[in-house]
Amino acid sequence: MNKLSLPFWQGKRVLVTGHTGFKGCWLTLWLQRLGAEVTGVALAPNTHPNLFTLANVSNNLKSYECDIRDAYKVSRAIQKSKPEIVFHLAAQSLVRASYRDPLATYATNIQGTANVLDSLRGLEQARVVVAITTDKVYRNLEQPYPYRETDHLGGHDPYSASKAAAELVVASYRDAFLEEQGVAVATARAGNVIGGGDWAEDRLLPDAARAWSAGQPLYIRRPESVRPWQHVLEPLSAYMRLAEQLYVEPQKAGAYNFGPLPHDAATVEDVITQACKSFGSGEIEWGDGRAGPHEANWLALETAKARTILGIEPNWELVQAVDYTMNWYRRQLAGESAQALCLENITAYESQ
């Protein structure tokens, strides 16, 4: 159902912003595997270890080290690479970090998005833009209701608010400039992503892998929080399928939710319990849900639009997604190649 078109991607010039980040690395490896000519624009990796280095993502890749808040450098990189398809992933993507530095979060996620889109004005080669936002762009009412693409945007924390604002920026550039230019522009609102190779702070399964591999207990702040969990390959496949369709059917431009079926959203406790089984061992200390700054307790996405218009449905259930993630960490910690593990996961996903 979610098969990608190998002939489509062969030789396509593709720009990935944020290619040094967790999702960007996986996307770049997959695009290269499909035969695309990939250019990356991003800052240097900001964690140690990081997937970009361990998986040798820079091999056969044109890469520009650039802060997307720098409009001139962004424009220069895009003019040089002349992309047909742009995946905009570069962002400040952590909720708790956004509380610490809201201005940097707003500048990166709002002005940075505008810089990327503005650089495409007048670029005749450009055909498709897929701008990645988040499931947190919705005004969260703390109700057991899966959010649809037509629901109100909002955001309590600076990260969520900045991504909601980025949605407006994308829509404005699409309507005012890029649609008339023949560029199909869409936003992708993906649920919580898990997968091997993420070492960012305050991420559930990376925190678990770090703690358990060191023989330490994992502290869980909010075990009852509900999220639309999915393996990283699910949204990446959806982004590429979306780009394929926009290339030939630009009228499909707009906003799309990508994630598990609404009733498959799960609690943090469910995910960690499965992760412990998959990893093989690990202690857990459960919090009472009151530690740290405000975060939404309940979040699920309605993905009917993606299923009906794009034909995109999840491949892996939660148990598979967690198993692949924790097995990736366990095997990489034992000395296996990060790139080989990524490509093995991609092959397994493509075979279903």
Side-chain angles (χ1 to χ4, degrees):
M1 192 72 175
N2 294 343
K3 297 293 184 183
L4 295 166
S5 170
L6 180 61
F8 174 86
W9 291 103
Q10 289 182 339
K12 282 288 189 303
R13 292 189 307 279
V14 181
L15 178 78
V16 178
T17 72
H19 69 293
T20 59
F22 164 59
K23 288 173 73 176
C25 285
W26 278 91
L27 178 59
T28 298
L29 288 171
W30 202 347
L31 286 166
Q32 290 178 319
R33 176 189 173 94
L34 292 168
E37 296 178 9
V38 184
T39 298
V41 173
L43 293 171
N46 63 355
T47 66
H48 181 77
N50 63 80
L51 187 59
F52 185 74
T53 301
L54 288 177
N56 298 312
V57 178
S58 61
N59 288 357
N60 304 312
L61 175 72
K62 291 183 289 185
S63 184
Y64 295 92
E65 187 171 321
C66 173
D67 189 325
I68 59 167
R69 292 174 293 184
D70 189 325
Y72 175 76
K73 286 187 177 180
V74 169
S75 179
R76 288 280 293 167
I78 289 177
Q79 291 294 327
K80 288 180 179 179
S81 59
K82 296 179 171 57
E84 300 168 83
I85 298 171
V86 175
F87 293 103
H88 175 45
L89 283 74
Q92 193 301 95
S93 58
L94 300 173
V95 171
R96 286 161 70 89
S98 78
Y99 279 105
R100 293 195 297 269
D101 195 347
L103 292 181
T105 300
Y106 289 129
T108 300
N109 295 349
I110 303 172
Q111 187 61 53
T113 296
N115 289 341
V116 171
L117 296 173
D118 201 67
S119 298
L120 298 172
R121 294 174 60 191
L123 189 71
E124 62 182 26
Q125 295 88 354
R127 292 282 301 275
V128 171
V129 178
V130 178
I132 313 309
T133 59
T134 175
D135 55 354
K136 297 174 180 63
V137 297
Y138 296 106
R139 185 189 302 166
N140 196 304
L141 304 177
E142 297 289 0
Q143 296 177 355
Y145 164 83
Y147 292 96
R148 301 173 183 269
E149 291 85 351
T150 53
D151 285 330
H152 290 296
L153 302 178
H156 180 281
D157 58 87
Y159 167 69
S160 300
S162 71
K163 283 296 196 174
E167 287 274 352
L168 299 178
V169 169
V170 174
S172 173
Y173 266 89
R174 178 178 57 236
D175 297 343
F177 307 111
L178 296 176
E179 184 177 26
E180 184 179 1
Q181 188 180 312
V183 183
V185 182
T187 56
R189 305 166 180 175
N192 284 48
V193 171
I194 59 176
D198 186 3
W199 281 282
E201 63 174 332
D202 295 325
R203 301 274 202 194
L204 186 63
L205 296 192
D207 285 350
R210 274 190 288 261
W212 295 339
S213 63
Q216 298 175 348
L218 173 69
Y219 177 69
I220 298 298
R221 297 189 308 272
R222 293 181 169 88
E224 298 305 316
S225 293
V226 174
R227 295 288 186 272
W229 308 95
Q230 59 184 330
H231 192 274
V232 64
L233 296 179
E234 298 282 9
L236 297 185
S237 171
Y239 303 162
M240 290 188 283
R241 281 286 308 281
L242 174 58
E244 288 178 2
Q245 296 190 45
L246 291 176
Y247 197 89
V248 294
E249 298 179 273
Q251 68 273 17
K252 291 184 177 181
Y256 290 89
N257 288 340
F258 295 121
L261 297 175
H263 62 269
D264 287 333
T267 66
V268 170
E269 183 176 358
D270 291 336
V271 173
I272 284 299
T273 301
Q274 179 60 43
C276 191
K277 293 179 184 177
S278 301
F279 198 72
S281 63
E283 288 186 56
I284 306 165
E285 295 180 359
W286 303 105
D288 60 8
R290 293 183 291 184
H294 173 274
E295 294 183 43
N297 291 317
W298 200 95
L299 179 59
L301 295 176
E302 176 55 73
T303 56
K305 182 180 177 182
R307 296 197 306 273
T308 56
I309 294 178
L310 304 175
I312 293 175
E313 297 188 14
N315 262 4
W316 287 347
E317 295 181 352
L318 180 62
V319 170
Q320 286 178 289
V322 175
D323 279 346
Y324 273 105
T325 299
M326 300 312 293
N327 286 334
W328 193 104
Y329 282 114
R330 181 174 48 78
R331 292 170 61 186
Q332 191 275 327
L333 288 167
E336 293 192 45
S337 160
Q339 185 182 92
L341 289 169
C342 289
L343 295 177
E344 180 184 302
N345 280 192
I346 291 170
T347 298
Y349 186 88
E350 288 176 331
S351 68
Q352 292 192 331

